[in-house]
Every structure is written in structure tokens, then in C-alpha cells.
Amino acid sequence: MKLSGGVEWALHCCVVLTAATEPVPAARLAQLHDVSPSYLAKQMQALSRAGLVKSVQGKTGGYVLTRAAADITVLDVVQAVDGANPAFVCTEIRQRGPLGTPPEECTRPCPIARAMSAADAAWRASLRGVSVADLVGSVERDSGPEALPGIGAWLDSAHASDG
């Protein structure tokens, strides 16, 4: 399973948005993660289209989560950024070539398609079982309870310097 780099960026942004008390501009999120502002803005727009974040307009505008971190799954973010299409698409190769199986005999998916579909379903179920709140908890355990509040203060400081 190969995911775009945008998924990683979007997940990190969702985690750090939980620590901000004000809307956070995409440029500030890009600065925090030292990533391309234009590419990160595209990921934030994808999250916005999916209804996971909303854009607040104005001088102190930026992005905020639209619901509690516990109600946003990793799968929600993956699908917002990379789409909901399955990782494997069967092309019915078994019907090709000189010994191809006639289409009318292909009444169920082949064993390869079934195995890949089962793997895709398991992968999606696993990602559906992890929320942004779970990721926040892991960050707190790995980096200490002061890490996200420190990030939140840094993110919010952009608004303090605007005023």
C-alpha cells in the first residue's frame, strides 16, 4: 500500500490543530513542519472538501477541525487526501491470452482479487479504528505531555504578533 506524502502531512496537521486555540493558517502549518506551503495548502483544501477541517476567513483566519479529534479517523484523512478507491483493481487478466477463461465462466472474483480485496478491507478497518485523538495520545506518550501544548502556543503566537 503506497500513500501519498500528503496523507502524512494532513495527519500531522490534524494532530497539531487539536492543540491550537485559534484558527491556524496553512502557511503557519507548513512553517511548523518545514514543508512546501503550496503543497500543504492543497492537503488542507482536501481536508476541507471532506468536511474534516473548515477554513475561517479574516485577519485571524486559518483552519480548525470541524469535529472532535475522537470523531476523525485516520481512514477519513487518507480518503480525503488520496481518495476512497481500492488499492487493487482487478483487470480480469484471467480472461486474456490463448487460454483465457470465457467471461461467462467468471461468475465470481478470482482468488487474487478476493485476497487483495480482503487485504484492502483489513487495512481500511485498521485505519478506521485509529482516531486523531488516538494519535494525539501517542504523541503525548512519546514526546511528553508538554509537546502539543508547546506546539499549540507556537501556532497561536502567529495571531498574537498580528495584533
Side-chain angles (χ1 to χ4, degrees), residues 91-114:
T91 62
E92 286 295 346
I93 193 171
R94 65 185 171 169
Q95 295 177 17
R96 298 180 189 177
L99 301 176
T101 304
E104 61 274 7
E105 291 181 24
C106 298
T107 59
R108 60 186 290 210
C110 77
I112 294 166
R114 290 193 309 265

